[in-house]
Amino acid sequence: MNKVLRKSRYTFLLDAGDRLLVYNSAKNNFWKVNSNVFEFIKEFNGALESLNDEENEIASLLHKLSIITTEEEDLNIAESFRLKFLTSSFSKENLDLTIAPTLSCNLRCPYCFEANKPTAIMDQKTADQTISFIKKHEFARNVRITWFGGEPLICGKQIEHILNGLLKLDNPKLSHQEIVTNGALLKGDNLKLFETFDFKAIQITFDGTKPNHDKKRVTSNNTGTFDVILCNLDNFISRFPSVSVKIRVNIDKTNGDDFPELYRFLTNRYKEKNNLFIYPGILKACETTSKNAPFLCNAELSALYNKYMKHGLLVSYPQFGYLGCGANRISCYVIGPKGELYKCWQDVGMENKVIGNIFDDDFSDYSLLNQYMLHGSRMNEQTCLECPMMPICDSNCANDRLDNLYNHGNRELCSVYKENDYQGLKEKLISFYKLLEQKQSSEPLQC
């Protein structure tokens, strides 16, 4: 193995004109450096014996920060991330469930993936069996639940019944729960759920500012819902201040400019709400043949993020992505309204994606389960492990990966940060750094 030090594969040199920056994706850190250090990293050839004392001191610090590394050290970094992924994937400490008590919905959003899927509602027998299914996982210390749909608040009674049953369990304990709702039914008796049970978070979606939202987020009689959801949100935030509120703003080609305006409107409206999180929910055209669709491909997404940063919004800062998604975790399931088990939210209601049922003692489709667990992550692909984007890759969709592998799909699997020889990443990082300086939210490490 080569022991020579050189610029790490994870290190990026950023010339921002009035400042010189170093970014390392394995550390996910910035450093502001002077021109001498910048050129030192750029030209460094690993010949330590040719360095003077001052250069040796610089090289030692850069090595300590993993800005310069050996080939073996870079390999170890990749393997460490993969080990964290595998440890998380096969851990049984937590049972993570997404429960969809119904796929029915009170709204008729034109893009919804639930369209044309069964509209069954979970019955009493299935609700009871859901409790039994959770109880069988005595190896798990905690159970974490996300209520999903359709619109889960259509089934408030079923949710209440299951939660009352879980209160009687000694193990596993319900340690976290949240709900994904369109917000239109967040009123009346449904609020008793939040009074009675400990919800940590709620996610509510807008489809842009009021004009665009009311074109898409409509009732069965084609009535817009922006004002209804906003009124319900006002009341909810007032009554339940401890519940984190996640506001997802669905973004496609038609409403990309709405996010900054809606972000400012909502942050000003709820400026006393400390646990409010507003973020763009990008509706992607993952198929590379869908360039003319209303959804966004990677190149368009990259341009949109740059536009948001010009508005001073810190969106899409790179995050470590080694945990993958729930479809990659052995103790993570989606439960449908008839007790059917899936590995992915997008699979709900599709008969050919069922891996089992909570009424059965074993899985019915080990082939699909194996595909998700063994081939649904970039952490199992050598080319991905060798990529400089590996630690911060934002392409974690197991469903897309399996579609390409088994169904001749044509999905964009690489990170948006990889566009144009990482130029998109470099532009984003420079913009982020300047915004961080302006906001004085981080002090760069001087080198």
Side-chain angles (χ1 to χ4, degrees):
M1 187 67 68
N2 187 357
K3 297 290 186 180
V4 177
L5 285 169
R6 79 281 192 272
K7 181 171 74 71
S8 170
R9 74 169 69 147
Y10 305 113
T11 294
F12 293 84
L13 299 175
L14 312 175
D15 186 345
D18 58 342
R19 72 205 78 192
L20 299 171
L21 307 173
V22 178
Y23 173 77
N24 184 275
S25 61
K27 297 290 186 181
N28 203 14
N29 279 347
F30 277 112
W31 294 271
K32 183 178 178 181
V33 300
N34 60 38
S35 58
N36 290 334
V37 173
F38 191 86
E39 290 300 319
F40 181 89
I41 300 169
K42 186 177 181 180
E43 302 297 334
F44 185 71
N45 62 11
L48 296 178
E49 64 276 3
S50 65
L51 302 179
N52 59 38
D53 290 344
E54 181 181 356
E55 291 171 334
N56 257 307
E57 185 176 352
I58 294 173
S60 177
L61 176 58
L62 294 174
H63 186 207
K64 183 177 180 180
L65 296 173
S66 298
I67 293 172
I68 60 174
T69 57
T70 66
E71 181 181 346
E72 181 180 16
E73 287 168 340
D74 273 353
L75 175 61
N76 285 337
I77 288 171
E79 291 295 329
S80 293
F81 274 94
R82 184 165 186 257
L83 179 59
K84 291 177 181 177
F85 164 76
L86 292 172
T87 302
S88 171
S89 292
F90 293 98
S91 171
K92 294 185 176 181
E93 180 177 359
N94 296 305
L95 175 64
D96 290 300
L97 298 178
T98 297
I99 303 178
T102 182
L103 297 186
S104 295
C105 187
N106 55 312
L107 302 185
R108 296 295 180 267
C109 310
Y111 54 79
C112 184
F113 82 96
E114 304 293 3
N116 302 317
K117 291 190 177 182
T119 58
I121 290 179
M122 184 177 286
D123 59 24
Q124 182 77 27
K125 182 179 179 182
T126 307
D128 287 336
Q129 187 62 27
T130 299
I131 300 169
S132 298
F133 176 79
I134 294 172
K135 186 178 181 179
K136 286 195 303 184
H137 290 76
E138 294 179 338
F139 51 77
R141 294 177 57 190
N142 305 297
V143 57
R144 302 181 297 204
I145 296 176
T146 298
W147 299 99
F148 184 61
E151 173 49 53
L153 289 179
I154 291 176
C155 297
K157 294 298 183 183
Q158 289 88 336
I159 294 174
E160 180 182 8
H161 180 77
I162 292 171
L163 290 178
N164 277 324
L166 295 184
L167 289 176
K168 301 173 184 177
L169 297 185
D170 293 326
N171 202 54
K173 285 292 186 183
L174 180 61
S175 62
H176 179 95
Q177 70 168 326
E178 56 186 271
I179 190 168
V180 178
T181 171
N182 59 43
L185 298 179
L186 194 63
K187 57 186 176 181
D189 288 344
N190 281 328
L191 294 181
K192 293 179 181 178
L193 283 173
F194 302 91
E195 293 173 346
T196 307
F197 304 103
D198 183 19
F199 280 78
K200 301 297 184 183
I202 183 172
Q203 178 189 297
I204 295 174
T205 308
F206 286 95
D207 278 16
T209 55
K210 179 177 167 60
N212 277 323
H213 175 99
D214 282 345
K215 291 176 185 176
K216 300 179 182 180
R217 186 60 62 95
V218 296
T219 63
S220 57
N221 62 4
N222 211 35
T223 302
T225 58
F226 186 91
D227 290 336
V228 170
I229 295 171
L230 191 64
C231 179
N232 290 344
L233 185 57
D234 287 346
N235 182 47
F236 184 88
I237 287 177
S238 174
R239 289 183 60 176
F240 305 102
S242 64
V243 179
S244 293
V245 174
K246 305 173 185 178
I247 298 179
R248 172 189 165 108
V249 183
N250 282 336
I251 297 295
D252 60 20
K253 290 180 181 178
T254 68
N255 67 345
D257 291 334
D258 283 14
F259 181 72
E261 181 180 347
L262 186 59
Y263 179 90
R264 292 189 174 91
F265 170 75
L266 293 172
T267 51
N268 286 333
R269 190 179 187 91
Y270 307 120
K271 52 191 169 187
E272 303 302 324
K273 178 74 172 171
N274 295 324
N275 50 355
L276 175 71
F277 306 95
I278 307 169
Y279 63 97
I282 304 300
L283 303 178
K284 287 190 64 177
C286 294
E287 291 185 354
T288 56
T289 56
S290 303
K291 302 301 182 184
N292 295 322
F295 303 137
L296 296 158
C297 62
N298 271 358
E300 294 163 329
L301 175 56
S302 182
L304 191 62
Y305 282 158
N306 285 336
K307 182 183 291 187
Y308 290 163
M309 284 188 287
K310 290 179 181 178
H311 284 275
L313 300 177
L314 289 169
V315 297
S316 185
Y317 183 81
Q319 302 288 328
F320 289 135
Y322 58 83
L323 294 182
C325 70
N328 302 136
R329 296 201 290 274
I330 195 67
S331 292
C332 185
Y333 307 99
V334 183
I335 300 178
K338 295 183 178 181
E340 68 275 26
L341 291 172
Y342 309 88
K343 288 300 290 179
C344 175
W345 292 21
Q346 296 182 58
D347 293 345
V348 180
M350 301 171 65
E351 289 186 9
N352 64 328
K353 296 292 187 177
V354 174
I355 64 165
N357 196 290
I358 61 175
F359 287 96
D360 301 330
D361 293 328
D362 202 359
F363 297 112
S364 59
D365 192 341
Y366 269 101
S367 176
L368 182 57
L369 176 63
N370 293 340
Q371 288 174 15
Y372 269 119
M373 291 301 302
L374 301 177
H375 304 290
S377 171
R378 59 191 168 82
M379 289 295 183
N380 292 319
E381 297 185 16
Q382 190 60 36
T383 54
C384 291
L385 288 174
E386 295 172 356
C387 177
M389 291 292 94
M390 182 275 297
I392 59 168
C393 180
D394 55 349
S395 181
N396 287 321
C397 182
N399 204 301
D400 288 348
R401 197 167 296 277
L402 294 187
D403 188 53
N404 279 9
L405 188 60
Y406 295 101
N407 301 318
H408 308 290
N410 196 23
R411 310 274 181 172
E412 286 185 324
L413 296 183
C414 284
S415 169
V416 64
Y417 300 130
K418 203 172 180 179
E419 289 283 316
N420 299 321
D421 193 27
Y422 312 110
Q423 186 59 35
L425 173 68
K426 294 176 182 178
E427 291 174 357
K428 288 182 182 64
L429 292 172
I430 290 171
S431 297
F432 271 119
Y433 191 87
K434 291 179 179 179
L435 283 174
L436 288 171
E437 282 191 328
Q438 292 171 8
K439 296 174 180 292
Q440 296 182 341
S441 59
S442 177
E443 288 296 328
L445 175 61
Q446 300 293 328
C447 180

